Amino acid sequence: MPYPSAPPPGYIPTAIGFVRVDLSVEHADRYAREIQRHARDSGYRYLYTVRPPADDPDPLTYVRALATELSAAVIIAFDLGQVDNQPTRICDLGYRLETVCPPMVWTPSTPLGSGEVPV
């Protein structure tokens, strides 16, 4: 789960990847590898690459629900198109969003408090 302020000493953030196969098509596997490499190079504890079903009506809600279940602090996507060019839909719930191409970071404007759970 996203941390409420500064992380404790020695804390290694947990990250998940996000690849939409409906958008990535034949590049999905390469995107997943690039995301894993980015997570490793960034020093994150990488858990999983989320690939929502192609027919899911709201893949961003899907990835946020899994991020909550996995207690991830960071969601990494290959590009901003994976999140419909709406980084606030990830960050407004307290997650850090990173993209591989171009390498960019979006941070939560209001981090979650210790008792809050994103929905």
Side-chain angles (χ1 to χ4, degrees):
M1 178 159 299
Y3 42 83
S5 57
Y11 172 75
I12 299 172
T14 300
I16 61 172
F18 180 46
V19 175
R20 289 176 59 184
V21 177
D22 60 322
L23 299 177
S24 306
V25 192
E26 69 272 0
H27 301 290
D29 289 337
R30 181 175 62 87
Y31 288 0
R33 287 190 306 273
E34 293 290 329
I35 288 168
Q36 288 175 325
R37 182 181 4 251
H38 173 86
R40 183 185 62 239
D41 292 349
S42 298
Y44 296 133
R45 186 174 142 245
Y46 193 74
L47 295 180
Y48 186 72
T49 300
V50 177
R51 296 177 192 218
D55 62 349
D56 191 289
D58 191 354
L60 298 183
T61 298
Y62 186 95
V63 72
R64 293 181 321 205
L66 278 173
T68 300
E69 289 296 317
L70 296 169
S71 300
V74 181
I75 297 173
I76 305 170
F78 184 76
D79 58 29
L80 205 52
Q82 300 289 314
V83 295
D84 296 332
N85 296 307
Q86 299 178 51
T88 56
R89 290 208 44 210
I90 301 295
C91 297
D92 283 356
L93 291 176
Y95 298 103
R96 176 184 176 111
L97 172 67
E98 298 190 15
T99 56
V100 174
C101 183
M104 300 210 43
V105 175
W106 290 265
T107 57
S109 55
T110 307
L112 296 175
S114 59
E116 297 177 71
V117 177
V119 270

